[in-house]
Amino acid sequence: MRVVIAGGHGKIALLLERLLAGRGDQAVGLIRNPAQVAGVEKAGAEAAVCDLEAASADAVAVLLSGADAVVFAAGAGPGSGAPRKDSVDRAASVLMAEAAGRAGVRRFVQVSSMGAGQPPGPGTDEVWAAYITAKTAAEDDLRSRDLDWTILRPGSLTDAPGTGRIRLAPPPVPRGTVPRADVAAVIAALLDEPGTRHQTLELVSGDSPVAAAVHSIS
Ligand SMILES: NC(=O)c1ccc[n+]([C@@H]2O[C@H](COP(=O)([O-])OP(=O)(O)OC[C@H]3O[C@@H](n4cnc5c(N)ncnc54)[C@H](OP(=O)(O)O)[C@@H]3O)[C@@H](O)[C@H]2O)c1
């Protein structure tokens, strides 16, 4: 399987690239900073330089040619303001989905966030509100497309070692944390289970082994 990962040098993306390479799949990490090529290659993936806030859908579609799946794992990240929540967390996902359609790549796993799908509450911090608004809009865009999408909403991410044990279900799942390593393992499992298409799933740490949890909702 050839999998193109938007945000290819992100923490989840690098973990996913290692998992995919380890099981014999080809991963391609899209990055905007050429200095990150070596890091992506060290994770066992190919790197392609593509700034998702500047590229056209046609240019991205060329990079997706021949791929079997797309994973959107980019994000403006901590320290960014409201405009970049819109230009990355929303618009870059929309760009990837549009390019996937043009390239004929049907499978699309989007990393969203718990909290998406509902308007931010009154008094919410402005940047958090922009983030949740952007993630919700990206989800809505993806659901409107003729793609085999799966939307994955992790809880608060940690860098703790993966446990391989999760709680994965349609919303609402009670809020919690989840190691990025377990998020990467879930994405890898979702790519193997086309029966999870057209589902929105929330993810926190739990008791179920990853493969069993993904299989049970397929
Ligand atoms: N933090 C949480 O608790 C939490 C909870 C739920 C969901 N999430 C979501 O989980 C996802 C992945 O998380 P993570 O921790 O792996 O994120 P991360 O380490 O911050 O990685 C995000 C990646 O996106 C890349 N990116 C940003 N702008 C780009 C652009 N214009 N073109 C190409 N790439 C670009 C960044 O590259 P640069 O190095 O160039 O900036 C970075 O490598 C994000 O969508 C995040 O919103 C986070």
Side-chain angles (χ1 to χ4, degrees):
M1 187 186 293
R2 184 171 170 87
V3 182
V4 178
I5 304 168
H9 196 264
K11 289 181 176 179
I12 290 175
L14 289 169
L15 291 160
L16 177 61
E17 287 157 10
R18 284 192 189 95
L19 284 179
L20 293 174
R23 71 183 198 186
D25 289 324
Q26 280 183 308
V28 182
L30 301 189
I31 52 176
R32 60 177 173 158
N33 179 356
Q36 294 173 342
V37 168
V40 170
E41 289 180 348
K42 197 174 167 199
E46 293 171 31
V49 178
C50 177
D51 183 345
L52 299 174
E53 292 163 275
S56 68
D58 281 336
V60 178
V62 170
L63 296 173
L64 298 186
S65 172
D68 300 292
V70 173
V71 174
F72 182 81
S80 58
R84 291 201 67 238
K85 304 302 183 194
D86 184 69
S87 61
V88 183
D89 291 280
R90 183 196 61 79
S93 178
V94 170
L95 175 75
M96 291 302 300
E98 175 64 25
R102 292 186 193 189
V105 183
R106 293 197 58 81
R107 190 78 178 107
F108 194 113
V109 176
Q110 180 192 65
V111 181
S112 183
S113 174
M114 284 180 90
Q118 294 180 345
T124 307
D125 168 76
E126 182 197 342
V127 174
W128 176 255
Y131 174 69
I132 288 302
T133 300
K135 289 294 198 196
T136 300
E139 288 189 0
D140 289 345
D141 171 81
L142 190 55
R143 286 191 199 94
S144 74
R145 294 179 183 272
D146 180 22
L147 293 173
D148 293 336
W149 51 264
T150 303
I151 293 168
L152 181 64
R153 293 178 180 165
S156 296
L157 301 175
T158 75
D159 291 323
T163 66
R165 300 226 163 222
I166 58 163
R167 180 169 179 182
L168 179 72
V173 168
R175 280 183 178 273
T177 62
V178 60
R180 288 178 171 87
D182 287 334
V183 179
V186 169
I187 296 169
L190 290 172
L191 291 170
D192 272 348
E193 289 278 8
T196 58
R197 69 181 177 275
H198 299 163
Q199 294 202 57
T200 300
L201 301 167
E202 296 191 335
L203 170 65
V204 294
S205 291
D207 297 325
S208 302
V210 169
V214 170
H215 189 67
S216 71
I217 43 108
S218 301

